[in-house]
Structure formats: C-alpha cells, structure tokens
Amino acid sequence: MSSFTKYLFLFLISGLLLGACKTQEPSGNSSKTTPPATSKPAPNTSNLPVKTIPLASVSLKPLSYQLPEMPREFRAVWIATVANIDWPVSPTDPYEKQKRDFIALLDHYKGLNFNAVIVQVRTAGDAFYPSNFAPWSKYLTGKEGKAPDTNENPLTWMIQESHARGLEFHAWLNPYRATFDMKTELLSPNHDFNQHRDWMLKYGTKYYYNPGLPQVKAHLTAVIKEIVDNYDIDAVHFDDYFYPYRIAKETFPDKKTYDLYKKPGQTQDDWRRQNVNDLIQSVHATIKASKPWVQFGISPFGVWRNQAMDPKGSPTRAGQTNYDDLFADPMTWMKNGWIDYLIPQVYWSMEHPLASYRKLNDWWSNNSHGTNIYVGNGPYKIREDSDAAWKIPSELNTQINYTRTLPSIQGNAFFSAKSLFTKNQDVASLLKKELYNKPTLPPAFEPKSPSIIDIPVVFSVETTTALTKISLEKPLDPAIRYGMVQGANELNLLHDAVIHPVWVGGSRARSLEVTSLNTEYLAIRWIDHFGRIVQTQVYQIPKSARP
C-alpha cells in the first residue's frame, strides 16, 4: 500500500470515529449526568417503515414577539416512603418494578399539572441513597443495610426522572426520628442506634436522636451536606416531627442533657426550642454555603399556638401545637430568614370546629414574615375520616379556591401521593378540570447577591422525524437549569402548546433535544437555578429546517 493510500485510509477512519463520538462538556456543579428531555427513550425505528430525512440546519434570529407571563403556583405532592405508604409499593419488589411504579406516580401528577414532588429519602436514620452516615432503608430493599440490586444510584435516578418532567425535587428528611418501632435487632450494624447509643432517647415505641446534644446537631447537619453536595436537588425538606408529639403520662427523657447544657435561667421548654432553632440555623447556613439556590423548606404542624395560650395565636383549639408541644417555632425561623418556604399542615376541613382550614389559612397568611407560604392539604382523609366534609368530592377544590384568595399564600402541597392516585380518581379529575387545567411554574427566589447571567444564543435548529435539536453558539451559563421548549404553527397558540422541559442543571450544555417539533414557531423559556425566567425567546423555523 502506498504512503498516500495509507494516509487516506487513516484520514477516513479518523473522520468516522470523530463523527460517532459526542463531546461532553465539563460539569458546572456536582451533577454527573444531564437527563434527557423525556424519560422515555426515542422509539427504535430500525425495523419501522419510516421515511429517512436528512438533518436540516438553519441559523436563527429571535422574533420580537413576547409570550404572556407564565403563572406561578406551587403544586406539590408528598411521596412518603416510610412504611411504604406511597412508594415503593413493596420493599421486596424487584428494583425495575419499583422504578416503573415511581414513574407511574410522576406521570400521574405531571398529568395533573403539578410542578414539584417532595420525596422522603430519610425516614428513620436510614437512606434511599448510598451514604456515609446511614444504612440503606429497609423500605427500599426489605432489609436495612442491604443495597438495591442495581449499579444505579436510586436518588440520582429519581431526581433525573422528576426533572425530565419539569418537576422540582424536594428531598424530604426526618431529622430526629431514629427508629420507627422497637425492633432494634433488625437495625443495621451501621445504624446510629448501634454506632452511637448515647445519642438515643426512647420515647413511646420509638427511639429519637437527642436534640440537645451538640454532636447530634453536627451529625444531622453533615447528613444534609452530603445530599446537597452530591445531588441536583431543588430543596431540602423537613416535616413536622421535631420533638415527638406528647404521649399521655410519659415524659421525654432529656433532663440530664438539659441540666448539662442549659443556659442560666433557661427553662426546659425554651432550651428545647433553642435546640431545634440551632439545627434549623445550622442546616440553612450549610445549604446556602454549598448551593445558594437550593431551598430549605419545612412543613410544620398546622397550628403554631392556640389563642388560649397566646393572643398572637390562631383561633383554634388544637390538642397539641408546634410551640408548646413539639418545641418548634416557625415564627423564629421565618423572622430570621432561615427557611425559604413553609408548608403548614392544615389537614382539616373548611369549617372544622377545632381547627378550621379557613381560619388557619387567614392566620398563616397574616403571619408569613416575608416567607413563601404554601398550605399543606390532607386528601388522605377523603372518604376515610369522621368529619363528614371529607365525604364531599368538592371539599378539596373548595379549600384550594379559598387559599387562592390570599395573596400571601402561593400554592398547595398534598399528603399523600396514593390519596389522589390509587384512590379518589374522581377528586383528582375534578382538581385538574376546575383548578389545575393548565401548567404553572413554582415560585421563584431571589439570590442574596446579584448575578449576571449570559443570555443563551441559539445558533441552529436540526430537525428529524424523531427529534428537534437546538444547538447553541456557546455553552450555557452554569446558572441555567432548564430550557422549556414549545412549538406551534401560529404565534398566538405558542403559550398553550405542550411544554417540553429540558433539564441542564448547570452542565454548560451546548444543545437541547426534544421530541420532534415540526412547527413553524418555536419558543424557549430559559430558567435559572432560582426558578427565575432569564429570558424567553421565540423563533420562526423555515420550512427548509423541518422534515
């Protein structure tokens, strides 16, 4: 073979190899991969009679046309994993079935135009992800400490699947509950009960981390930091379990710790509240130091204090309250800016005599202290509660309609996922038909310090029968987390077109891919880590660029 022939042969082989490879852009944060625009892979067309159309490319200039502003409303569902309430359906199901079940939940709530999921990833000193601080959850694998039968990280996968549908992922952790029952012999040797017995306090039929110990606060903060540093979550979320709900004729056994750490003149109740406040402040500072855009939200019990105990309290007669029984003080957290949002669990009917949904919405609206307030609703009570109001299918819509009249409240969250999925389909349909008939964005947040974000520049569009690829002039600014793509043949129909969310999560992507949009017009909303729309761009796609 001549030298020229060898050279030509090597040149052709090199070209083929380069064409088959995709260049990966460096990651702008801890994200390992960028999920696809849709969780379902493109159909295998190798055996299908499809007309082959070559890629078409065209440089684009944005039009001056402005899309109407997209409405904002928080619409979330809690997906409870403890005791397999919502998911996994069974801890002994094969991992692939668990994945299918999780996708079914996401698709259902995406179909109802929800925009966030609050997924429980730590139930009682355990984890739904590989952790240096906790064993694998028995609710995932059937045995605590046993890893799932996969090389995949379940939490990474769940986050990617949520983001692929345009759903925020709020990682829900229960901080203080160490065990769910007294079967401590079933705990992993790596569980904190076995590693740090001196941290544990028995109360009722459970063990709890002792909130008064500085090493417990440091440990729980490290648990949060591990998640924030390693996962593309949108928020860290705590529920209502701080100090446990009081049990009649039983005292929470923390007097020795109180005697050791109390300040001069400090009552035990105030000392307990200070312990919780210290944890909230520490967690907030840890989150913001790592990723300022990750929110910190809490869903406390629905009543701060009854008016009988405090004139600033709500006109309620709740048997227990945050401040007096759980030693949790949301007012302090909000006043100090330690949380980004609060979701009080107002799980009562509109006119419940002891705790009215109506009156509590009014109270929380008037006591938001500049914090985003969403209301927690209890559809788990539908047709399963002694309160006759929950037998009326329209009760839930009545509640949400009332919440919407209060400008200081920006949305709702629903407990729990199965209550509008495997149950009460008529109520879910009514919710979508009357109130959630169109998609919305969750509320945005402002960063503490201003930032300049490079506006994305679309260089070209390539279209086949399978997908539309939007190529960019340069890598995206790492502050961009979403591109929301829509297509229509008329400008005035763009805003109602199907939204194709593409999560980029700071990956500095050079292109977006969505299901083929064979349309004359294309719109992209660029959204940053704080949920703000950086810019909306509208383009006209020439016929030469479409199949």
Side-chain angles (χ1 to χ4, degrees):
M1 183 182 293
S2 69
S3 298
F4 176 79
T5 306
K6 288 180 181 178
Y7 175 82
L8 180 61
F9 176 78
L10 290 173
F11 177 81
L12 291 172
I13 290 296
S14 300
L16 288 171
L17 289 174
L18 284 171
C21 294
K22 275 192 174 181
T23 303
Q24 264 198 328
E25 294 295 335
S27 175
N29 62 4
S30 61
S31 174
K32 301 297 187 296
T33 59
T34 301
T38 175
S39 66
K40 297 179 181 178
N44 181 0
T45 59
S46 58
N47 297 317
L48 298 178
V50 177
K51 183 173 72 170
T52 301
I53 298 175
L55 288 175
S57 178
V58 62
S59 296
L60 296 177
K61 297 293 182 183
L63 304 177
S64 60
Y65 182 81
Q66 295 293 318
L67 284 179
E69 188 68 26
M70 195 166 180
R72 301 271 184 173
E73 182 179 51
F74 191 70
R75 300 173 180 176
V77 61
W78 279 285
I79 299 178
T81 60
V82 65
N84 300 104
I85 291 175
D86 293 316
W87 181 85
V89 175
S90 169
T92 58
D93 278 344
Y95 179 67
E96 290 302 318
K97 180 183 182 301
Q98 292 179 342
K99 288 175 66 174
R100 290 194 299 271
D101 290 340
F102 190 78
I103 286 175
L105 274 176
L106 295 185
D107 285 344
H108 176 73
Y109 281 97
K110 176 64 176 176
L112 293 177
N113 287 322
F114 278 55
N115 53 35
V117 289
I118 306 171
V119 182
Q120 193 172 27
V121 300
R122 176 185 170 93
T123 71
D126 58 359
F128 274 67
Y129 52 93
S131 173
N132 293 319
F133 302 104
W136 285 100
S137 175
K138 67 179 181 180
Y139 302 119
L140 180 64
T141 66
K143 180 181 179 181
E144 189 173 272
K146 178 184 176 183
D149 186 19
T150 177
N151 293 323
E152 191 172 56
N153 184 327
L155 182 53
T156 299
W157 177 83
M158 287 191 288
I159 294 169
Q160 288 177 347
E161 291 295 327
S162 301
H163 285 161
R165 291 161 175 79
L167 298 167
E168 286 191 345
F169 189 98
H170 296 226
W172 165 19
L173 302 94
N174 188 286
Y176 291 129
R177 185 171 60 206
T179 72
F180 197 66
D181 52 38
M182 297 303 294
K183 298 176 182 178
T184 55
E185 70 278 5
L186 300 179
L187 297 176
S188 164
N190 295 324
H191 191 283
D192 285 330
F193 178 86
N194 292 314
Q195 294 288 317
H196 303 283
R197 189 69 62 87
D198 56 320
W199 293 359
M200 302 293 144
L201 295 175
K202 178 184 175 297
Y203 187 62
T205 59
K206 298 178 178 66
Y207 280 91
Y208 296 87
Y209 289 85
N210 186 344
L213 295 176
Q215 54 268 44
V216 165
K217 181 185 76 172
H219 177 74
L220 295 176
T221 302
V223 168
I224 302 301
K225 180 173 172 56
E226 181 183 53
I227 293 178
V228 174
D229 285 351
N230 290 290
Y231 297 95
D232 282 334
I233 60 172
D234 298 286
V236 169
H237 182 91
F238 287 175
D239 55 20
D240 56 319
Y241 292 102
F242 292 98
Y243 279 80
Y245 286 86
R246 290 187 191 269
I247 300 173
K249 300 180 181 179
E250 189 169 349
T251 302
F252 191 72
D254 62 347
K255 188 176 185 308
K256 287 184 180 179
T257 315
Y258 165 64
D259 290 339
L260 183 62
Y261 290 105
K262 66 180 178 181
K263 296 176 182 177
Q266 190 176 36
T267 67
Q268 188 174 32
D269 285 3
D270 285 340
W271 171 78
R272 286 174 173 171
R273 279 185 285 270
Q274 186 61 51
N275 292 332
V276 176
N277 288 344
D278 288 346
L279 177 66
I280 301 304
Q281 185 178 14
S282 175
V283 168
H284 172 264
T286 298
I287 293 170
K288 300 305 179 181
S290 179
K291 295 177 181 176
W293 59 85
V294 172
Q295 304 166 44
F296 183 27
I298 298 178
S299 56
F301 180 70
V303 177
W304 174 64
R305 301 191 83 184
N306 294 317
Q307 276 184 352
M309 294 294 294
D310 188 326
K312 297 191 296 292
S314 55
T316 51
R317 290 176 286 141
Q320 299 198 44
T321 67
N322 278 295
Y323 187 92
D324 299 294
D325 300 284
L326 307 180
F327 307 103
D329 187 10
M331 297 300 109
T332 294
W333 311 337
M334 292 191 289
K335 288 176 182 177
N336 286 288
W338 293 340
I339 56 175
D340 296 296
Y341 69 78
L342 195 81
I343 312 180
Q345 297 177 18
V346 188
Y347 294 165
W348 299 281
S349 60
M350 283 293 291
E351 309 300 341
H352 193 280
L354 300 181
S356 158
Y357 182 91
R358 183 192 306 276
K359 292 178 181 178
L360 279 167
N361 271 247
D362 292 344
W363 190 88
W364 284 107
S365 178
N366 292 328
N367 290 275
S368 65
H369 299 286
T371 301
N372 276 17
I373 300 286
Y374 317 130
V375 171
N377 300 75
Y380 72 95
K381 289 186 172 182
I382 295 172
R383 301 181 175 104
E384 295 188 20
D385 194 80
S386 58
D387 184 351
W390 288 108
K391 293 180 174 60
I392 304 170
S394 61
E395 171 67 18
L396 195 63
N397 281 21
T398 301
Q399 294 183 8
I400 299 165
N401 266 322
Y402 187 75
T403 299
R404 284 180 168 180
T405 68
L406 304 171
S408 295
I409 301 179
Q410 296 94 21
N412 299 79
F414 302 85
F415 186 86
S416 67
K418 69 179 181 183
S419 61
L420 295 173
F421 177 59
T422 57
K423 304 176 181 180
N424 307 307
Q425 287 292 323
D426 59 331
V427 176
S429 297
L430 196 64
L431 174 63
K432 181 177 181 180
K433 178 182 178 182
E434 294 185 353
L435 302 179
Y436 286 6
N437 57 315
K438 291 185 178 181
T440 62
L441 287 173
F445 291 81
E446 289 298 322
K448 297 297 182 183
S449 55
S451 59
I452 298 175
I453 300 175
D454 285 341
I455 302 300
V457 177
V458 173
F459 176 72
S460 66
V461 170
E462 298 173 313
T463 303
T464 70
T465 53
L467 59 85
T468 292
K469 180 178 180 180
I470 302 164
S471 297
L472 306 172
E473 187 178 80
K474 58 183 179 179
L476 281 172
D477 190 303
I480 302 290
R481 70 171 175 175
Y482 264 119
M484 296 177 62
V485 183
Q486 293 171 281
N489 286 320
E490 296 181 31
L491 279 173
N492 61 356
L493 298 179
L494 262 178
H495 70 283
D496 277 333
V498 173
I499 295 172
H500 301 269
V502 186
W503 171 263
V504 293
S507 64
R508 296 188 62 78
R510 285 294 297 266
S511 64
L512 311 182
E513 290 185 357
V514 297
T515 302
S516 184
L517 296 176
N518 184 16
T519 57
E520 185 168 351
Y521 297 99
L522 181 144
I524 312 173
R525 289 183 175 92
W526 299 104
I527 300 175
D528 74 357
H529 278 303
F530 293 90
R532 302 174 300 174
I533 296 178
V534 175
Q535 192 177 67
T536 299
Q537 298 168 339
V538 178
Y539 300 95
Q540 185 171 14
I541 312 300
K543 290 182 179 180
S544 60
R546 295 184 272 139

